[in-house]
Amino acid sequence: MKLRIGIFRDMKLDVAFPVAVVGVTVSFLASAEAQAYTFTRIADTSGQFSSFSSFPVINDHGIVSFWAGLDVGETGIFAGDGATTTTIADTSGVFRSFDTLLSSNNQGTVAFTGFLDSGSGGIFASNGQTAATIAPFTGLEFGPPSINDSGTVAFFTDSFYGKANVVISDGTTTTVISEVGDSFFKSTDSPSINNAGTAAYVTTEVGRKITTTDGRAIASTGTFGFVGYPSINDTGTVAFVTGAFGTTLGGIFKSDGTTSTLVADSNGAFSSFSFGTPSINNAGTVAFFAPLKAGGLGIFTGPDPIADKVIAAGNSWQNIPGDPLFGSTVASLWFSREGLNNAGQLTFYAQLADGTEGIYRADPDIPNTPTKPETKPGQDPAQSVPEPTAGIGLLLLGAIGLGSKLKLRLTK
């Protein structure tokens, strides 16, 4: 099922406001210069595809994998870099359908849940040339897979009666790494595995907690009102969403089980963090998807909604435009747990104001270089404009009458 979010509530961000006081000194806090990105269209509905899932994933080579529907009526799993597209698996062969939650590694292998024409199914891994069965269905519910570079896959199984297991398998050796619960109310979910073979996962038993397979307690509802699904990097640091803590309604944290670091919270520009799972790379950068109190929503890599913005969708209720993208503007967005790679590239699903749906990649630019000019977030790859001034210092507003307006303008 595709979840599309394009409109949020709260206050409108006005860039023009009346100034009614003579001699007022207005201070605008300076913001760090925004990271610029170049955007690549991986696939959209102007070609062979009719629809997309909201959860593309990216490996360190910039290859994006995604679920899509085809104009001819089939569905499949595909991988592309913006120039070429490879079919990983589709319903023209032995598969009847696929779950839309995927995982990919740097060898070009994609792990997915598939259902066969024969009626069976399971967790599979394929590079488009060869496919392997990681685990066949055995009457249990199977959760979304996470694959590392050695081809080892972590996933969960649930019998619906409390026998919930986190499993690691390479298709030959299968190991149950956690078994929780002997009742309907105890379960586990959504493991994330790194290249060291360590997995982080959620357990719901007494409260809700994030644990790793090397024995570390990352977070629990004893500290936070809620903990979301984890994303783990190769150093073992885990990123996750939280609910209320203290007087704060929610936040994004990263933790190694000893030290927890706040990435962003709802005390600033963000209204909540209940949409999706953050993604963490080996440098410790955390990317996440969040709505803004001022309206709209976006993908960010830190607490500053301007300096840390990758791209943002608009809000038609409050007449807030989305960022420009390939001749239109962004109406809605979605981001996944494997949406950020170690090169700082990100992938996301977007629906544009002209009705186009697509999968896109954001590549961080090197700022102020003669060969690669800065690119305003949201511009097409072939277009670039100078960044607006990041901050305005002290402005003395003297002898300004009622009705005057201060307008923030982009400098072209």
Side-chain angles (χ1 to χ4, degrees), residues 268-292:
F270 305 109
S271 60
S272 72
F273 301 92
S274 56
F275 301 97
T277 300
S279 183
I280 186 170
N281 67 13
N282 289 343
T285 301
V286 177
F288 58 91
F289 178 67
L292 294 161

Side-chain angles (χ1 to χ4, degrees), residues 252-332:
I252 303 284
F253 281 82
K254 59 182 179 180
S255 176
D256 60 6
T258 301
T259 302
S260 295
T261 302
L262 178 67
V263 176
D265 65 26
S266 59
N267 289 329
F270 305 109
S271 60
S272 72
F273 301 92
S274 56
F275 301 97
T277 300
S279 183
I280 186 170
N281 67 13
N282 289 343
T285 301
V286 177
F288 58 91
F289 178 67
L292 294 161
K293 292 176 181 176
L297 73 165
I299 299 167
F300 305 90
T301 58
D304 190 317
I306 297 175
D308 299 320
K309 183 183 74 167
V310 178
I311 193 165
N315 182 325
S316 60
W317 280 0
Q318 297 168 307
N319 198 30
I320 297 172
D323 284 341
L325 191 65
F326 291 101
S328 186
T329 57
V330 180
S332 65

Side-chain angles (χ1 to χ4, degrees), residues 301-394:
T301 58
D304 190 317
I306 297 175
D308 299 320
K309 183 183 74 167
V310 178
I311 193 165
N315 182 325
S316 60
W317 280 0
Q318 297 168 307
N319 198 30
I320 297 172
D323 284 341
L325 191 65
F326 291 101
S328 186
T329 57
V330 180
S332 65
L333 283 169
W334 200 258
F335 181 71
S336 76
R337 179 166 72 177
E338 293 185 27
L340 170 70
N341 69 11
N342 288 320
Q345 296 172 303
L346 302 98
T347 186
F348 57 92
Y349 161 87
Q351 184 178 29
L352 307 184
D354 63 9
T356 301
E357 295 180 51
I359 303 297
Y360 304 91
R361 189 184 68 213
D363 300 333
D365 287 352
I366 300 173
N368 299 321
T369 59
T371 57
K372 195 162 190 176
E374 290 186 347
T375 303
K376 181 186 174 185
Q379 292 293 319
D380 298 350
Q383 300 178 352
S384 64
V385 297
E387 281 290 336
T389 302
I392 304 175
L394 296 177

Side-chain angles (χ1 to χ4, degrees), residues 15-47:
V15 297
F17 55 91
V19 178
V21 180
V22 175
V24 175
T25 298
V26 181
S27 175
F28 294 87
L29 294 178
S31 172
E33 185 176 359
Q35 169 67 59
Y37 291 87
T38 294
F39 293 86
T40 298
R41 181 196 292 113
I42 303 299
D44 68 15
T45 50
S46 66

Side-chain angles (χ1 to χ4, degrees), residues 83-84 109 114 124 158 160 220 224 271 277 283 350-351 370:
T84 60
T109 302
F124 300 89
D158 194 337
F160 301 101
S220 71
F224 305 103
S271 60
T277 300
Q351 184 178 29

Side-chain angles (χ1 to χ4, degrees), residues 160-211:
F160 301 101
Y161 295 100
K163 293 297 180 182
N165 304 313
V166 172
V167 178
I168 287 181
S169 178
D170 61 5
T172 301
T173 303
T174 299
T175 304
V176 176
I177 57 174
S178 176
E179 180 173 311
V180 298
D182 54 8
S183 76
F184 181 81
F185 300 102
K186 298 178 181 181
S187 65
T188 190
D189 205 350
S190 294
S192 173
I193 193 169
N194 66 13
N195 285 326
T198 302
Y201 57 94
V202 169
T203 298
T204 303
E205 195 167 3
V206 179
R208 185 177 169 96
K209 61 184 179 181
I210 298 174
T211 307

